Amino acid sequence: MSKVNYFLVNSSILPPVFEKVIKAKNYLASGEAANATQAAKMAGISRSAYYKYKDSIFEYNTFDDQETVTLNAKLRDNAGVLSALMNELYLAGANVLSVSQSVPVNSVADVSVTVRVTQMTVSIHDMVDKIKKVSGVKSVNISDKNMLSGG
Protein backbone atom coordinates (compact mmCIF):
# COMPACT_ATOMS: atom_id res chain seq x y z
CA MET A 1 0.00 0.00 0.00
CA SER A 2 1.39 3.40 -0.94
CA LYS A 3 1.92 6.15 1.58
CA VAL A 4 -0.74 8.87 1.64
CA ASN A 5 0.62 12.41 1.54
CA TYR A 6 -1.27 15.37 2.91
CA PHE A 7 -0.76 19.04 2.12
CA LEU A 8 -2.01 22.07 4.01
CA VAL A 9 -3.20 24.42 1.27
CA ASN A 10 -4.85 27.84 1.32
CA SER A 11 -8.41 27.20 0.13
CA SER A 12 -8.36 30.31 -2.07
CA ILE A 13 -6.21 28.51 -4.66
CA LEU A 14 -8.44 25.43 -4.88
CA PRO A 15 -11.39 24.86 -7.21
CA PRO A 16 -14.72 25.78 -5.54
CA VAL A 17 -15.88 22.16 -5.54
CA PHE A 18 -13.58 21.37 -2.60
CA GLU A 19 -15.10 24.04 -0.38
CA LYS A 20 -18.55 22.85 -1.39
CA VAL A 21 -17.68 19.27 -0.41
CA ILE A 22 -16.66 20.57 3.03
CA LYS A 23 -20.00 22.43 3.26
CA ALA A 24 -21.86 19.25 2.35
CA LYS A 25 -19.96 17.27 4.99
CA ASN A 26 -20.80 19.95 7.56
CA TYR A 27 -24.50 19.85 6.59
CA LEU A 28 -24.47 16.10 7.22
CA ALA A 29 -22.52 16.33 10.47
CA SER A 30 -24.82 19.02 11.88
CA GLY A 31 -27.99 17.19 10.86
CA GLU A 32 -29.08 20.03 8.56
CA ALA A 33 -29.10 17.48 5.73
CA ALA A 34 -30.68 14.06 6.17
CA ASN A 35 -28.48 12.34 3.58
CA ALA A 36 -25.62 12.88 1.14
CA THR A 37 -27.95 13.70 -1.74
CA GLN A 38 -29.60 16.50 0.22
CA ALA A 39 -26.24 17.76 1.54
CA ALA A 40 -24.75 17.89 -1.97
CA LYS A 41 -27.78 19.76 -3.28
CA MET A 42 -27.61 22.26 -0.39
CA ALA A 43 -23.90 22.82 -1.07
CA GLY A 44 -24.48 23.31 -4.79
CA ILE A 45 -22.59 20.27 -6.08
CA SER A 46 -23.53 16.98 -7.68
CA ARG A 47 -23.83 13.87 -5.59
CA SER A 48 -21.05 12.26 -7.64
CA ALA A 49 -18.69 15.19 -6.89
CA TYR A 50 -19.46 14.78 -3.19
CA TYR A 51 -18.70 11.05 -3.24
CA LYS A 52 -15.59 11.57 -5.38
CA TYR A 53 -13.93 13.90 -2.85
CA LYS A 54 -15.59 13.31 0.54
CA ASP A 55 -12.93 10.90 1.82
CA SER A 56 -10.02 12.96 0.54
CA ILE A 57 -10.70 16.50 1.72
CA PHE A 58 -10.92 17.67 5.30
CA GLU A 59 -11.27 21.05 6.91
CA TYR A 60 -8.29 22.08 8.99
CA ASN A 61 -9.21 23.45 12.40
CA THR A 62 -6.60 24.69 14.81
CA PHE A 63 -7.34 24.16 18.44
CA ASP A 64 -4.54 26.10 20.02
CA ASP A 65 -4.03 25.42 23.73
CA GLN A 66 -4.66 29.14 24.27
CA GLU A 67 -8.21 28.71 22.95
CA THR A 68 -9.40 26.06 25.43
CA VAL A 69 -9.40 25.78 29.19
CA THR A 70 -10.34 22.89 31.43
CA LEU A 71 -12.10 23.71 34.69
CA ASN A 72 -11.94 21.19 37.51
CA ALA A 73 -14.59 21.66 40.16
CA LYS A 74 -15.99 19.95 43.22
CA LEU A 75 -19.77 20.28 43.40
CA ARG A 76 -22.24 19.46 46.14
CA ASP A 77 -24.65 16.70 45.16
CA ASN A 78 -27.63 19.07 44.99
CA ALA A 79 -30.06 19.57 42.13
CA GLY A 80 -29.15 22.49 39.89
CA VAL A 81 -25.52 23.03 40.91
CA LEU A 82 -24.04 21.80 37.63
CA SER A 83 -26.71 23.74 35.75
CA ALA A 84 -25.79 26.93 37.64
CA LEU A 85 -22.10 26.38 36.80
CA MET A 86 -23.01 25.93 33.13
CA ASN A 87 -25.09 29.11 33.27
CA GLU A 88 -22.05 31.08 34.46
CA LEU A 89 -20.04 29.67 31.56
CA TYR A 90 -22.82 30.70 29.18
CA LEU A 91 -22.97 34.22 30.64
CA ALA A 92 -19.19 34.55 30.23
CA GLY A 93 -19.44 33.56 26.56
CA ALA A 94 -17.52 30.30 26.97
CA ASN A 95 -18.37 27.48 24.56
CA VAL A 96 -18.62 24.12 26.38
CA LEU A 97 -16.78 21.38 24.49
CA SER A 98 -16.98 18.53 27.00
CA VAL A 99 -18.25 17.71 30.48
CA SER A 100 -17.23 14.80 32.67
CA GLN A 101 -18.73 14.21 36.10
CA SER A 102 -17.89 11.51 38.62
CA VAL A 103 -20.39 9.75 40.84
CA PRO A 104 -20.69 11.77 44.08
CA VAL A 105 -18.64 10.55 47.04
CA ASN A 106 -19.57 11.98 50.45
CA SER A 107 -22.11 14.20 48.62
CA VAL A 108 -19.43 15.82 46.43
CA ALA A 109 -18.86 15.15 42.71
CA ASP A 110 -15.75 15.94 40.72
CA VAL A 111 -16.55 17.73 37.46
CA SER A 112 -14.26 18.54 34.56
CA VAL A 113 -15.48 21.01 31.93
CA THR A 114 -13.47 21.93 28.85
CA VAL A 115 -14.47 25.22 27.24
CA ARG A 116 -13.40 27.30 24.26
CA VAL A 117 -12.62 30.79 25.55
CA THR A 118 -12.05 32.77 22.35
CA GLN A 119 -15.51 34.41 22.41
CA MET A 120 -15.64 35.16 26.13
CA THR A 121 -16.87 38.56 27.25
CA VAL A 122 -15.09 38.45 30.62
CA SER A 123 -11.63 37.37 31.71
CA ILE A 124 -11.02 33.78 32.70
CA HIS A 125 -10.13 34.96 36.20
CA ASP A 126 -13.48 36.81 36.53
CA MET A 127 -15.36 33.76 35.24
CA VAL A 128 -13.69 31.52 37.82
CA ASP A 129 -14.50 34.04 40.59
CA LYS A 130 -18.18 34.02 39.58
CA ILE A 131 -18.28 30.22 39.49
CA LYS A 132 -16.76 30.07 42.99
CA LYS A 133 -19.72 32.12 44.25
CA VAL A 134 -22.30 29.66 42.90
CA SER A 135 -24.15 27.91 45.73
CA GLY A 136 -22.95 24.31 45.92
CA VAL A 137 -19.57 24.87 44.26
CA LYS A 138 -16.99 23.70 46.79
CA SER A 139 -13.94 24.56 44.68
CA VAL A 140 -12.93 25.33 41.10
CA ASN A 141 -9.58 25.68 39.40
CA ILE A 142 -8.07 25.80 35.94
CA SER A 143 -5.88 22.93 34.75
CA ASP A 144 -3.53 25.32 32.94
CA LYS A 145 -2.37 27.82 35.55
CA ASN A 146 -0.89 30.06 32.81
CA MET A 147 -4.40 30.88 31.64
CA LEU A 148 -5.23 32.62 34.92
CA SER A 149 -2.34 35.02 34.57
CA GLY A 150 -3.20 35.69 30.93
CA GLY A 151 -0.26 33.92 29.35
Side-chain angles (χ1 to χ4, degrees), residues 2-48:
S2 64
K3 180 182 172 198
V4 176
N5 291 320
Y6 291 98
F7 299 97
L8 186 59
V9 179
N10 185 323
S11 64
S12 67
I13 69 166
L14 297 173
V17 67
F18 294 122
E19 188 172 343
K20 291 178 179 183
V21 170
I22 293 295
K23 284 183 181 180
K25 290 171 72 170
N26 289 337
Y27 288 139
L28 278 171
S30 70
E32 292 178 66
N35 54 47
T37 300
Q38 184 181 14
K41 185 176 182 179
M42 291 169 67
I45 56 173
S46 68
R47 195 174 71 125
S48 63

Side-chain angles (χ1 to χ4, degrees), residues 72-84:
N72 295 305
K74 293 194 178 292
L75 308 181
R76 297 285 302 156
D77 183 23
N78 296 337
V81 177
L82 180 58
S83 178

Side-chain angles (χ1 to χ4, degrees), residues 39-145:
K41 185 176 182 179
M42 291 169 67
I45 56 173
S46 68
R47 195 174 71 125
S48 63
Y50 171 76
Y51 280 111
K52 181 176 181 178
Y53 297 117
K54 75 174 183 72
D55 294 328
S56 297
I57 186 160
F58 305 94
E59 188 169 21
Y60 177 72
N61 292 314
T62 61
F63 292 109
D64 189 328
D65 288 341
Q66 298 296 333
E67 294 180 352
T68 61
V69 168
T70 300
L71 298 167
N72 295 305
K74 293 194 178 292
L75 308 181
R76 297 285 302 156
D77 183 23
N78 296 337
V81 177
L82 180 58
S83 178
L85 182 147
M86 292 298 182
N87 188 57
E88 289 299 330
L89 294 173
Y90 166 76
L91 292 173
N95 180 22
V96 176
L97 301 174
S98 70
V99 178
S100 177
Q101 180 175 345
S102 69
V103 174
V105 175
N106 296 325
S107 298
V108 176
D110 289 318
V111 176
S112 175
V113 183
T114 301
V115 296
R116 185 169 297 124
V117 297
T118 53
Q119 299 295 315
M120 283 186 28
T121 56
V122 300
S123 72
I124 295 168
H125 182 73
D126 288 345
M127 179 185 68
V128 170
D129 286 345
K130 288 181 181 185
I131 291 170
K132 287 179 179 179
K133 294 175 184 173
V134 170
S135 178
V137 173
K138 304 289 283 175
S139 68
V140 62
N141 60 51
I142 304 284
S143 291
D144 182 357
K145 299 296 184 192

